[in-house]
Amino acid sequence: MPPSVPSLPRRVARLLRTSLFAQVACALVLGIVVGKLWPGFGADLQPLGDGFIRLIKTIISPLVFCVVVVGIAKASDLKAFGRIGLKALIWFEVASTLALIIGLLAANVVQPGAGMNVDPSTLDSAAVDEKTGGGSLPSTTEFVLHALPTSFIGAFAENSLLQVLILACLVGAALLHLGHTKVPQVLPAIEQAQEVIFAIVGFVMRLAPLAVFGAMAVLIGNYGLGVVETYAKLIVLCYAAAAFFIVLLAVALKLLTGLSLWKFLRYIREEMLLALGTASTESVMPRVMQKLRKAGARDDAVGLVLPTGYSFNLDGASLYLSIGTLFVAQAVGVDLSLGQQITVILVLMLTSKGMAGIPGSAFLALSATASSLGAIPAGAVALLLGVDRIMDSMRVVTNLLGNCVAVFAVSRWEGALDIEKAKKVLGGEEPAPAQQPAKEKEPVSETS
């Protein structure tokens, strides 16, 4: 008899039980429904998403530390690690500047704020202060100094990725200097700690559907779907510009490595959906690091490029900031000259680098840009308060893909990428397990 085919409900139940992607997708839809039907209840579900992100954040710093230390120690070449860092910074600057230029060109062509004729005096500038907590972006000097740790434990306590990276580089360099003969147990202990952390990531990720459900219910409950109609032109422009930028990323990835961005998207579809649902790329950093390593990128390249990109390579935020600046100017009737728009690019090249981890950083950067121009009322950025949360999905996808492509590109540039392994993994094949060295046969005794 031919084997019986499982019924549709049983197949769906099995899929929901075994597939994180299906669980997160289902939770996302349920969150939208709950937020729409019961907005008050949906808005009260904020702790679900916040709690999940807090758990993930506790893992990120020790994971980055372990991956970078192990990567440096195993690569046995500190100069190569320095080259990776330099090449990553070059890639980040080129990519984020390109994103800024694309955003400005798109806003000039479409002019999403033209004809709105908004009176800046009618806007509630206090709402911007509430969004940003009255903070400000650090200056270049402050940013550099803050990247230097004041204590070993403090870097982990503050969850500062740049400080943890510097400490990891110092520890990795020290292990290389001392050699395995003087500290034979340190590196294996860090490797074991790394495996423990990845196991914890697996446990925490089981809560991902709850986090997505809560985050989407809060979004729809607080903002509703009407905001999409009000800002339709701006929303469509931002997402179209992001799509164009992602196409450029796909072309660059194909030319530099021969890899397909579409296949990579399928490979990280669970992480991408989770990042969309929680509006946070930090929530998926541990899993993405793990998958990039499995896809052939060397440990030291993944450990350095990806975390650094979270501070220096915010391509989606760059797109949004450049489009948002021109949108606000057009909405209040300010016509920016070519020189002023070049100033926008120069200012955003600096302000966009200090945004990571600062509440309301997009509004702080927009306010700083408006102040530097002297032509746009700083309070006018309040126009974007209603649509900012809708833009999170665009920023998250573009930022995450931009940093992943950077890992592949820099790894290829440095010769730290196994192309054949990457193609197999992105094509759906499981990587072959590392072969264990064969044990020598014991000599057979001549006497019985």
Side-chain angles (χ1 to χ4, degrees):
M1 293 180 62
S4 59
V5 179
S7 63
L8 181 60
R10 290 178 63 185
R11 280 185 287 174
V12 172
R14 181 185 302 170
L15 185 64
L16 287 174
R17 189 172 61 252
T18 59
S19 171
L20 179 64
F21 179 80
Q23 294 168 6
V24 172
C26 185
L28 189 145
V29 174
L30 286 176
I32 293 174
V33 172
V34 169
K36 178 65 177 175
L37 297 180
W38 302 285
F41 174 69
D44 291 336
L45 296 177
Q46 184 80 36
L48 290 179
D50 289 350
F52 176 80
I53 292 176
R54 286 170 72 95
L55 284 173
I56 287 292
K57 283 185 175 181
T58 62
I59 301 168
I60 289 175
S61 290
L63 177 61
V64 169
F65 178 82
C66 291
V67 170
V68 172
V69 171
V70 172
I72 293 177
K74 284 191 170 181
S76 300
D77 186 358
L78 197 58
K79 290 182 179 179
F81 197 73
R83 288 197 304 269
I84 290 173
L86 178 60
K87 291 173 181 177
L89 290 177
I90 293 172
W91 177 274
F92 294 158
E93 195 57 50
V94 171
S96 57
T97 303
L98 178 62
L100 288 171
I101 294 172
I102 290 174
L104 282 181
L105 290 175
N108 274 294
V109 171
V110 178
Q111 298 198 352
M116 293 183 70
N117 301 319
V118 175
D119 182 0
S121 62
T122 62
L123 298 173
D124 183 12
S125 58
V128 178
D129 294 332
E130 182 181 350
K131 177 79 173 179
T132 60
S136 61
L137 289 175
S139 65
T140 304
T141 304
E142 291 172 338
F143 179 73
V144 172
L145 286 176
H146 185 69
L148 301 176
T150 55
S151 73
F152 202 100
I153 304 300
F156 290 90
E158 294 178 13
N159 211 16
S160 172
L161 278 183
L162 291 180
Q163 292 184 12
V164 171
L165 271 173
I166 290 175
L167 287 174
C169 291
L170 292 174
V171 173
L175 287 177
L176 278 181
H177 176 71
L178 293 172
H180 299 303
T181 55
K182 291 186 178 180
V183 282
Q185 301 302 321
V186 175
L187 185 58
I190 295 176
E191 287 184 295
Q192 291 168 9
Q194 179 178 279
E195 293 304 317
V196 171
I197 295 169
F198 276 126
I200 295 173
V201 171
F203 297 150
V204 175
M205 288 301 292
R206 295 180 183 180
L207 302 175
L210 280 176
V212 171
F213 169 73
M216 291 307 299
V218 170
L219 171 63
I220 303 302
N222 282 335
Y223 298 100
L225 299 174
V227 68
V228 177
E229 298 177 6
T230 306
Y231 291 92
K233 194 173 182 180
L234 175 63
I235 294 171
V236 170
L237 175 62
C238 285
Y239 277 82
F244 177 72
F245 183 79
I246 290 172
V247 169
L248 294 182
L249 286 178
V251 173
L253 182 65
K254 191 70 175 178
L255 291 175
L256 294 173
T257 67
L259 301 178
S260 166
L261 186 62
W262 172 246
K263 290 183 178 180
F264 179 73
L265 265 173
R266 286 190 298 172
Y267 176 58
I268 62 163
R269 60 185 180 276
E270 296 171 351
E271 292 75 23
M272 185 61 72
L273 195 58
L274 174 58
L276 283 170
T278 59
S280 168
T281 53
E282 287 186 337
S283 65
V284 297
M285 181 195 280
R287 288 261 300 197
V288 171
M289 288 181 73
Q290 195 174 20
K291 285 199 166 183
L292 286 168
R293 293 166 68 221
K294 287 183 179 179
R298 210 167 64 195
D299 285 7
D300 53 345
V302 175
L304 181 61
V305 178
L306 189 66
T308 308
Y310 273 58
S311 293
F312 289 93
N313 192 41
L314 304 174
D315 298 327
S318 297
L319 276 169
Y320 172 64
L321 290 173
S322 55
I323 293 175
T325 301
L326 261 69
F327 169 78
V328 170
Q330 293 162 2
V332 298
V334 174
D335 185 19
L336 296 180
S337 65
L338 177 61
Q340 289 174 315
Q341 294 191 32
I342 293 174
T343 302
V344 168
I345 293 179
L346 295 176
V347 172
L348 290 177
M349 282 173 66
L350 295 175
T351 56
S352 62
K353 300 297 184 294
M355 290 174 53
I358 299 175
S361 55
F363 288 94
L364 290 172
L366 285 169
S367 299
T369 307
S371 299
S372 67
L373 291 174
I376 306 174
V381 299
L383 275 171
L384 294 171
L385 282 170
V387 76
D388 184 67
R389 182 60 179 82
I390 304 296
M391 296 301 184
D392 277 341
S393 298
M394 179 274 290
R395 291 194 292 250
V396 162
V397 171
T398 312
N399 288 345
L400 185 57
L401 285 179
N403 285 319
C404 290
V405 170
V407 171
F408 282 123
V410 174
S411 298
R412 176 62 170 169
W413 191 0
E414 182 56 29
L417 178 64
D418 187 338
I419 295 291
E420 294 305 317
K421 182 180 180 181
K423 288 182 177 179
K424 288 181 180 179
V425 171
L426 298 188
E429 298 182 33
E430 287 293 327
Q435 293 184 349
Q436 299 295 331
K439 293 182 178 180
E440 295 182 4
K441 293 183 179 180
E442 296 181 359
V444 179
S445 175
E446 294 181 359
T447 60
S448 58

